[in-house]
Amino acid sequence: MSDRPDRPREGSLPVPLAYGPAYIGLFACLMLGVLCNAFLDIRYGSFGVEALFWAVAFGLTLRTGWRQQGRTDEQGRAWQWRVLLLMLALFFLVFLPMWGMPRAGVYLMCGLQAAQNCVTTTRRQFQYGLVVSVVLVLFAASHSRADWTLLFYVMPYVVAIVLTLVAEQVGCRARQVGAHSLAAGRVPGQALAVMSAAAVIVVLAGLLYAATPQYTWAGLSWRHGLAGGVRVGPGEAASAAPGGAGAAGGGAAAGATGGAAGAGAGGALRSDWPTADEMREAARRPGMPGWQATAIEALADASDALATATAPLKKVLRDILKALEEWLEAHRAALATALLALLLLAVLLAAAFLLRETRPLAWARTRFDYVLLALLRRHGAGDAAVRRIHAASERLFDFLGEARPPAMDVREYCQRLRIRFHGVDGELRRLTDLVERTRYGGREPSEADVAALRASYRRLFLQLQDQGLVEPASASRPA
């Protein structure tokens, strides 16, 4: 047996990870997860400092893990302990006094992941790091200060994590192919395969997300920062449900303000896309990164231009919808009658299709033949009895989907049936021999010949019944 590099046997060592793009993707996912949390505090002006600190921490530690090429050494373990002690000291001296729980706990998790990066040399540890990045993004997205501007970091994160997972899988497959191939070197086309697969996954996920109903953040609540149940009525200030706003980082007031901006008249929550004025207001927030403010301003200008360009079309569509509503109201009775007629037609078509597939008349005829010929023995005598019994057997196989072609003789038809229906060879052979002997033998069939033909037909019917091809008849079997 050959040892596959990406599928180790039970009890063997974990699969090593030495693929450079996988470490780059993990760095991007962790950084975007941290940036989502740092973006919540942009008004304090610490966004750039936090981004730089975690970029250095994750970059150096992941470089340490990558340089070990899938085998953890003593230097990696030593760096892990150093980073771990540093992050614990920062937690008690900086994170906890500045942010409090649970934000300090989130940054402690980032510090523990940075320490783990020093010994991230297996696929399992790599996947644990991706899970940590998912937790970071989910925590930031559920915070009361999170709004649509966080999408500038969430959307790149979704693309990054898909690319990272696909790249790691493609890299493993390429190593497997290289290990079993006589040619050495890198398998070509990996970058194209990664980009194509990631694009397909992201597009399909986006279509599924757009086609399914989604909860808005204002409809949820969490005691650590997510203010749920925000309502704004005429002349009222924003208010949150008891326990809906958290105390982490002053999220209560900001959560109420965000809910108020997204509410409509009469106290109804609004979950649609922000207007151009709301975008420009978001771009002027204190501490907003320059590139993001520029992008938001461009998005607002594009929204205004699109609204101006589509205003005539919207008016035409509103007129068409109004005319359609009036027409529907005027022809309600006729439409109801037409829909009922279409429903009846669909039922009739379905019934016709069902009758064509089940063939109830053919089913009834085969059962009538069995009762009349095999049980009641109402088949007559002589050559007429042979013809009736043989015709009944052919109708039985016709109902089972094997009708005899007009140009096929009895012997050829028997060979065809023996191929299709197993376990009935003996009865088919006896039935065919009796038919040929009585019809082509030049003599009148005797009562014994008719009785043997009838018994063969009955046994054939019962054998097909045992195979589940024929439903049980009303009469019992012979002893």
Side-chain angles (χ1 to χ4, degrees), residues 362-438:
W363 178 89
R365 181 64 187 272
T366 56
R367 273 61 184 176
F368 177 76
D369 289 339
Y370 178 77
V371 174
L372 182 67
L373 303 179
L375 300 180
L376 301 180
R377 304 181 182 182
R378 310 293 263 179
H379 46 65
D383 188 63
V386 173
R387 287 198 304 268
R388 288 171 183 165
I389 295 175
H390 182 244
S393 66
E394 286 191 350
R395 283 193 292 270
L396 177 61
F397 286 110
D398 183 15
F399 172 72
L400 298 178
E402 284 294 340
R404 189 180 79 164
M408 184 176 291
D409 59 22
V410 177
R411 181 65 58 180
E412 293 174 347
Y413 186 50
C414 176
Q415 294 295 332
R416 180 174 177 177
L417 293 177
R418 290 172 63 186
I419 296 174
R420 165 78 187 278
F421 303 98
H422 302 286
V424 295
D425 296 353
E427 298 304 328
L428 281 173
R429 188 182 301 107
R430 279 190 289 271
L431 184 65
T432 303
D433 292 341
L434 286 171
V435 170
E436 289 183 336
R437 186 168 65 250
T438 55

Side-chain angles (χ1 to χ4, degrees), residues 68-436:
Q68 298 172 73
Q69 291 296 298
R71 293 181 177 272
T72 305
D73 53 22
E74 293 299 328
Q75 184 179 7
R77 294 190 181 92
W79 273 105
Q80 180 187 22
W81 280 105
R82 295 169 188 168
V83 175
L84 177 61
L85 294 177
L86 175 62
M87 292 300 172
L88 288 176
L90 290 176
F91 170 72
F92 288 106
L93 299 178
V94 180
F95 301 158
L96 194 59
M98 182 176 296
W99 286 288
M101 296 296 290
R103 282 286 297 280
V106 171
Y107 284 151
L108 175 62
M109 182 175 63
C110 294
L112 297 178
Q113 179 60 38
Q116 182 66 22
N117 289 342
C118 297
V119 292
T120 297
T121 56
T122 64
R123 294 181 64 192
R124 181 181 300 176
Q125 294 165 339
F126 164 77
Q127 292 164 359
Y128 285 161
L130 292 180
V131 172
V132 169
S133 69
V134 172
V135 174
L136 292 175
V137 174
L138 291 178
F139 180 86
S142 64
H143 199 274
S144 60
R145 290 198 293 273
D147 58 6
W148 66 272
T149 56
L150 195 65
L151 291 175
F152 282 87
Y153 304 93
V154 175
M155 296 303 296
Y157 171 79
V158 173
V159 177
I161 196 169
V162 172
L163 280 171
T164 302
L165 287 172
V166 173
E168 197 273 334
Q169 292 295 322
V170 170
C172 286
R173 180 61 180 169
R175 289 197 304 272
Q176 177 186 356
V177 172
H180 293 277
S181 175
L182 297 178
R186 186 172 181 267
V187 178
Q190 294 187 38
L192 181 60
V194 170
M195 298 298 294
S196 302
V200 170
I201 294 173
V202 171
V203 170
L204 291 179
L207 292 176
L208 181 62
Y209 181 84
T212 54
Q214 305 293 331
Y215 253 103
T216 59
W217 71 271
L220 306 173
S221 61
W222 186 34
R223 63 186 297 266
H224 291 299
L226 182 58
V230 179
R231 294 291 187 274
V232 176
E236 296 180 1
S239 61
T257 304
L269 285 172
R270 195 192 72 183
S271 60
D272 55 325
W273 191 252
T275 63
D277 293 336
E278 291 173 346
M279 293 181 187
R280 294 188 177 92
E281 183 180 355
R284 291 191 292 269
R285 290 178 187 173
M288 180 69 69
W291 68 268
Q292 189 172 354
T294 304
I296 294 176
E297 290 285 354
L299 187 61
D301 295 338
S303 179
D304 281 339
L306 182 63
T308 303
T310 57
L313 179 61
K314 290 180 180 179
K315 184 178 183 302
V316 173
L317 292 177
R318 282 195 298 267
D319 294 341
I320 293 175
L321 290 176
K322 183 178 180 181
L324 181 60
E325 290 176 359
E326 294 175 355
W327 184 85
L328 291 175
E329 185 66 26
H331 300 82
R332 179 183 300 178
L335 287 174
T337 304
L339 289 176
L340 181 60
L342 289 176
L343 179 61
L344 292 176
L345 179 61
V347 172
L348 292 176
L349 291 176
F353 180 78
L354 180 63
L355 292 177
R356 188 183 67 177
E357 293 294 326
T358 58
R359 302 173 62 190
L361 296 179
W363 178 89
R365 181 64 187 272
T366 56
R367 273 61 184 176
F368 177 76
D369 289 339
Y370 178 77
V371 174
L372 182 67
L373 303 179
L375 300 180
L376 301 180
R377 304 181 182 182
R378 310 293 263 179
H379 46 65
D383 188 63
V386 173
R387 287 198 304 268
R388 288 171 183 165
I389 295 175
H390 182 244
S393 66
E394 286 191 350
R395 283 193 292 270
L396 177 61
F397 286 110
D398 183 15
F399 172 72
L400 298 178
E402 284 294 340
R404 189 180 79 164
M408 184 176 291
D409 59 22
V410 177
R411 181 65 58 180
E412 293 174 347
Y413 186 50
C414 176
Q415 294 295 332
R416 180 174 177 177
L417 293 177
R418 290 172 63 186
I419 296 174
R420 165 78 187 278
F421 303 98
H422 302 286
V424 295
D425 296 353
E427 298 304 328
L428 281 173
R429 188 182 301 107
R430 279 190 289 271
L431 184 65
T432 303
D433 292 341
L434 286 171
V435 170
E436 289 183 336

